[in-house]
Amino acid sequence: MIETPYYLIDKSKLIRNMEKIAHVREKSGAKALLALKCFATWSVFDLMRDYMDGTTSSSLFEVRLGREKFGKETHAYSVAYGDNEIDEVVLHADKIIFNSISQLERYAERAAGIARGLRLNPQVSSSSFDLADPARPFSRLGEWDVAKVERVMDRINGFMIHNNCENKNFDLFDCLLAQIEERFGSLLERADWVSLGGGIHFTGDDYPVDTFSARLRAFSDRYDVQVYLEPGEASITKSTTLEVTVLDTLYNGKNLAIVDSSIEAHMLDLLIYRETAKVSPNEGPHSYMICGKSCLAGDVFGEFRFADALKVGDRISFQDAAGYTMVKKNWFNGVKMPAIAIKELDGSVRTVREFTYADFEKSLS
């Protein structure tokens, strides 16, 4: 058995998402780019590459990783580029998307050899959490003034609009897209391509993918643009677990179990967004609060039910552990980083990355 903790990516589950993405691509004509900010574990790019059109990034390192490890079409975006990185970004990208008109004006000539785009902010979104809401008051994410954008249309040929956040509701997506069309229609008519970003959970259970595809096709036909999607979570949902082991049990008004992992270090978004991890099945007569091993008092994965009383050495699998985990893992408390393992289509499991004290030491100075 592989020593815990480790992330286990199951290719048979990953491919289910890939097949849904391929279906949407075929029916809608849209292209799909993997959002590396969510998932960048390049050891499974060999599988994903056959179902997607390329990658989209949020930094120099991500765009370079996309070019070198995934290939195909590579989009570069950043909230702000620096003088010291813009040339290398352009070197690795097929398209570059600027967050603001001022950034576009500063670097347009240095990016003259590739397609240039601009991020638009429609000032509406599906997010119910202010921290993740690109349309929040005083947002720095994209341009919203149509008149200002019209004055730079000679320097760009496309747009990126990202205002869906974990949106599982097609009707809400449709409504938001209609608002984009109403607000930015005059700009869209002059574009060659439009990225609708990520955050659209179209690979989820019971999502109306054919209706979604038809809506994308209608949008593309109306404005004569190539549509792009940037699935992150939609690409990898339900494909990965975080495997952990119980180190200790105790009782303090509730049954507690401490595992060899940390929510702050290994599943940080759950802590940020005040969510709990997922365990399946979550049923049985024995209830436990599963706690991480860091010194943070609130390092708690959640409360779950089990068929049997937990004991030292028992293993627990946290479900749906691919998105924003491996890209955000950290060395808080020096807790060992989870290894990364892959379950192949034939059922065999191989470890593709392990982290040691040497990695911890080298991350510091």
Side-chain angles (χ1 to χ4, degrees):
M1 295 179 68
I2 301 173
E3 182 178 290
T4 59
Y6 64 94
Y7 301 103
L8 178 62
I9 305 169
D10 188 332
K11 280 189 174 182
S12 68
K13 296 178 180 179
L14 180 61
I15 207 168
R16 295 174 196 169
N17 299 320
M18 295 295 102
E19 289 172 345
K20 291 181 180 180
I21 290 172
H23 178 82
V24 169
R25 289 169 65 216
E26 179 183 358
K27 295 296 183 180
S28 70
K31 293 185 176 183
L33 307 175
L34 174 64
L36 296 177
K37 65 181 179 180
C38 174
F39 181 83
T41 306
W42 49 267
S43 292
V44 291
F45 284 179
D46 59 331
L47 183 150
M48 303 177 83
R49 189 182 298 117
D50 293 337
Y51 296 87
M52 304 186 76
D53 297 284
T55 57
T56 186
S57 59
S58 301
S59 66
L60 166 59
F61 287 171
E62 282 188 353
V63 71
R64 179 175 175 178
L65 185 78
R67 172 63 76 195
E68 294 182 353
K69 296 297 186 180
F70 199 104
K72 304 181 80 170
E73 191 166 352
T74 307
H75 287 203
Y77 166 77
S78 176
V79 172
Y81 296 107
D83 290 342
N84 62 324
E85 61 183 357
I86 186 65
D87 293 333
E88 191 175 353
V89 169
V90 171
L91 177 66
H92 295 295
D94 296 297
K95 289 182 173 66
I96 185 168
I97 299 157
F98 294 101
N99 183 67
S100 67
I101 290 174
S102 59
Q103 281 261 302
L104 169 66
E105 291 176 334
R106 182 169 185 168
Y107 295 122
E109 294 308 313
R110 291 169 72 170
I114 61 174
R116 297 169 302 198
L118 186 66
R119 179 168 183 170
L120 299 179
N121 189 332
Q123 298 184 305
V124 291
S125 83
S126 69
S127 178
S128 59
F129 202 93
D130 182 68
L131 182 66
D133 186 358
R136 62 190 286 176
F138 319 112
S139 175
R140 74 198 194 285
L141 301 175
E143 296 284 355
W144 54 271
D145 188 320
V146 172
K148 289 182 178 179
V149 176
E150 285 178 341
R151 292 197 288 269
V152 297
M153 284 302 297
D154 60 326
R155 300 188 184 189
I156 59 176
N157 70 341
F159 298 106
M160 187 266 277
I161 305 166
H162 176 38
N163 67 333
N164 287 279
C165 304
E166 296 192 17
N167 186 358
K168 301 177 182 179
N169 186 326
F170 169 75
D171 290 335
L172 178 56
F173 166 80
D174 182 38
C175 178
L176 291 172
L177 187 56
Q179 291 180 68
I180 288 170
E181 292 178 286
E182 181 178 358
R183 180 164 191 166
F184 295 128
S186 62
L187 299 175
L188 300 176
E189 290 172 351
R190 300 171 64 182
D192 295 330
W193 54 271
V194 176
S195 172
L196 297 176
I200 310 164
H201 211 276
F202 64 91
T203 58
D205 296 337
D206 301 322
Y207 194 89
V209 289
D210 289 331
T211 305
F212 175 62
S213 298
R215 182 66 172 95
L216 295 176
R217 175 73 72 176
F219 178 88
S220 175
D221 290 346
R222 178 178 180 181
Y223 299 102
D224 192 24
V225 292
Q226 173 63 60
V227 171
Y228 288 90
L229 301 173
E230 300 179 4
E233 288 276 7
S235 300
I236 45 78
T237 184
K238 298 183 179 179
S239 69
T240 301
T241 56
L242 174 59
E243 303 291 323
V244 302
T245 297
V246 175
L247 301 179
D248 194 12
T249 61
L250 56 155
Y251 182 83
N252 187 8
K254 290 184 178 181
N255 289 314
L256 311 177
I258 300 171
V259 298
D260 58 351
S261 180
S262 163
I263 191 170
E264 180 167 24
H266 306 152
M267 296 188 80
L268 181 60
D269 264 20
L270 297 182
L271 188 66
I272 292 173
Y273 295 108
R274 303 294 191 267
E275 297 177 347
T276 61
K278 301 172 185 175
V279 170
S280 182
N282 182 14
E283 56 188 32
H286 301 278
S287 177
Y288 284 86
M289 179 183 290
I290 307 301
C291 308
K293 65 176 294 182
S294 83
C295 68
L296 179 69
D299 192 348
V300 176
F301 287 91
E303 294 187 44
F304 311 99
R305 305 196 72 86
F306 299 89
D308 300 303
L310 293 179
K311 60 184 184 300
V312 173
D314 283 347
R315 292 204 171 192
I316 299 172
S317 297
F318 293 120
Q319 304 297 306
D320 212 4
Y324 297 99
T325 55
M326 286 167 271
V327 296
K328 286 193 174 186
K329 62 187 183 302
N330 60 72
W331 284 113
F332 179 63
N333 269 193
V335 176
K336 183 180 179 182
M337 278 189 179
I340 300 173
I342 296 173
K343 186 176 183 180
E344 299 289 350
L345 296 176
D346 64 6
S348 62
V349 177
R350 61 187 177 97
T351 301
V352 295
R353 184 72 163 93
E354 293 183 279
F355 301 92
T356 67
Y357 172 76
D359 297 302
F360 170 62
E361 180 189 29
K362 289 177 182 177
S363 72
L364 304 167
S365 58

